[in-house]
């Protein structure tokens, strides 16, 4: 495949969420950028997922002349530092709740399992694109016990109702780390609020390169994802992300360690 075709393929896969999650999007965008390093390439890539500051941060580095391999190395190095922090927070027999699909969260949980922690995971299917199924399959393949809930069962799953166990920890990924809180998949804010109400520790697990001081737009996605061929007289909204204020966040785990949210902001500002 020539470079032009490879670029279009990656761009399509990012747009259609075949490549999803901040980490995978940033890595794929980097690969695509190096096929034709130019301003217009960068602009095109950034337009595909507007709520992804890590993609912008890595493309800025690429534009400034830093080698691809050097930038790519960061992702694994960050994850290797995140993993033991997540491990430390998990007690044996913990029930851990997560949402959507986050590479940072999934890798850390798989690491904890491999290192002998005994825990199980509750997760949501994450409509309309069902990224939760990807999480469930990945964790199950690693031998982790997983229970999948419809998004509308979040309240049941988090509040020990109808036969569910007490959730001890919530680990969510992030797309953007801002001064006053984080942006992640829709559904995250209600999970954060319920966690506070139920006194469940709520942690963000994320590479610090997702931090930005800029204003981040919230991506609105195609209405067909919610209801393909819906009757024309029904209005549909399909927001992809939402903001979680820092008051709900027990702590943030990045390659800099486990920190209070304000402490993290101070560190990276
Ligand atoms: C994915 C999502 C993930 C973050 C973090 O949304 O909200 O929680 O991107 O991911 P989408 P990671 O499926 O719309 O991209 O930990 O992989 O960087």
């Amino acid at each position: 495949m020539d470079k032009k075709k490879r670029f279009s393929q990656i761009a399509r896969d990012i747009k259609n969420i075949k490549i999803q999650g901040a980490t995978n999007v940033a890595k794929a965008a980097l690969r695509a950028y190096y096929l034709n390093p130019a301003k217009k390439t960068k602009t095109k890539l950034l337009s595909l997922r507007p709520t992804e500051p890590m993609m912008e941060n890595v493309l800025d580095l690429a534009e400034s002349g830093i080698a691809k391999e050097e930038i790519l190395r960061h992702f694994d190095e960050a994850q290797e530092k995140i993993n033991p922090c997540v491990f430390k927070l998990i007690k044996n027999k913990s029930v851990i709740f997560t949402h959507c699909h986050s590479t940072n969260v999934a890798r850390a949980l798989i690491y904890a399992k491999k290192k002998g922690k005994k825990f199980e995971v509750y997760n949501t299917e994450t409509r309309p694109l069902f990224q939760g199924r990807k999480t469930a399959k990945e964790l199950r393949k690693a031998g982790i016990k997983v229970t999948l809930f419809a998004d509308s069962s979040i309240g049941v799953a988090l509040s020990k109702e109808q036969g569910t166990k007490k959730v001890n920890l919530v680990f969510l990924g992030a797309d953007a780390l801002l001064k006053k809180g984080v942006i992640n998949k829709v559904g995250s804010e209600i999970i954060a609020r319920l966690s506070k109400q139920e006194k469940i520790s709520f942690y963000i697990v994320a590479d610090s390169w997702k931090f930005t001081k800029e204003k981040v737009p919230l991506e609105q996605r195609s209405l067909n994802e919610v209801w393909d061929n819906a009757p024309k007289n029904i209005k549909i909204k399909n927001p992809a992300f939402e903001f979680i204020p820092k008051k709900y966040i027990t702590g943030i785990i990045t390659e800099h360690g486990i920190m209070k949210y304000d402490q993290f902001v101070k560190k990276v500002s």
Side-chain angles (χ1 to χ4, degrees):
M1 217 191 290
D2 69 20
K3 284 185 178 182
K4 220 170 168 179
K5 280 196 182 138
R6 268 160 63 204
F7 179 86
S8 305
Q9 183 65 55
I10 297 175
R12 238 187 342 266
D13 289 349
I14 293 176
K15 186 79 201 163
N16 300 337
I17 319 283
K18 198 165 164 201
I19 296 171
Q20 67 76 230
T23 305
N24 292 330
V25 166
K27 280 182 175 173
L30 198 64
R31 280 201 310 275
Y33 178 80
Y34 279 104
L35 293 169
N36 176 23
K39 192 102 212 147
K40 72 170 194 314
T41 314
K42 185 180 171 195
T43 308
K44 166 76 185 164
L45 289 164
L46 292 177
S47 74
L48 300 170
R49 301 297 309 270
T51 318
E52 296 298 348
M54 183 151 74
M55 164 159 59
E56 186 157 12
N57 289 338
V58 299
L59 292 180
D60 285 348
L61 291 174
E63 206 175 27
S64 75
I66 298 182
K68 182 167 74 172
E69 292 65 33
E70 198 181 320
I71 304 172
L72 283 173
R73 215 168 25 243
H74 163 83
F75 295 102
D76 289 337
E77 286 172 359
Q79 188 71 51
E80 277 162 25
K81 290 182 181 148
I82 287 170
N83 292 344
C85 297
V86 170
F87 179 86
K88 209 161 87 182
L89 290 172
I90 303 174
K91 297 202 172 56
N92 274 327
K93 297 203 173 151
S94 286
V95 179
I96 296 165
F97 187 93
T98 192
H99 179 55
C100 196
H101 179 274
S102 154
T103 299
N104 288 145
V105 172
R107 288 223 191 140
L109 293 178
I110 292 168
Y111 170 91
K113 173 72 183 172
K114 278 194 187 139
K115 291 274 172 192
K117 281 274 156 112
K118 291 186 176 52
F119 61 93
E120 64 177 289
V121 171
Y122 284 2
N123 84 315
T124 46
E125 56 184 357
T126 319
R127 267 193 52 83
L129 294 179
F130 300 104
Q131 292 94 326
R133 292 181 184 173
K134 182 178 172 187
T135 303
K137 283 200 265 184
E138 220 170 278
L139 298 183
R140 194 59 212 126
K141 200 168 158 212
I144 299 168
K145 184 177 170 195
V146 184
T147 308
L148 184 91
F149 291 82
D151 297 328
S152 37
S153 317
I154 284 175
V156 172
L158 280 173
S159 54
K160 203 168 177 286
E161 299 271 343
Q162 301 180 39
T164 58
K165 293 180 187 167
K166 165 95 185 119
V167 171
N168 311 104
L169 278 167
V170 174
F171 289 130
L172 295 195
D175 289 273
L177 305 173
L178 313 177
K179 275 188 174 167
K180 296 191 167 160
V182 317
I183 295 174
N184 194 47
K185 179 60 54 192
V186 269
S188 298
E189 196 267 354
I190 186 74
I191 293 168
R193 201 151 15 116
L194 266 174
S195 300
K196 182 106 184 161
Q197 185 187 304
E198 299 295 323
K199 299 189 174 51
I200 302 166
S201 301
F202 178 95
Y203 286 93
I204 294 295
V205 182
D207 187 315
S208 76
W209 281 16
K210 294 170 181 174
F211 181 74
T212 181
K213 289 179 183 165
E214 308 293 322
K215 199 170 163 19
V216 177
L218 295 170
E219 180 184 1
Q220 303 292 318
R221 294 191 57 85
S222 159
L223 308 184
N224 299 339
E225 288 177 355
V226 178
W227 190 351
D228 203 10
N229 293 320
K232 293 273 172 287
N233 55 357
I234 295 178
K235 199 174 158 191
I236 297 173
K237 288 255 185 214
N238 187 17
F241 298 107
E242 68 185 350
F243 179 70
I244 309 160
K246 64 182 182 184
K247 67 178 176 192
Y248 296 137
I249 302 172
T250 312
I252 176 162
I253 302 157
T254 67
E255 68 273 28
H256 301 300
I258 308 172
M259 292 176 175
K260 290 273 170 220
Y261 199 76
D262 282 337
Q263 201 188 350
F264 164 75
V265 171
K266 215 165 149 193
K267 168 98 190 153
V268 292
S269 289

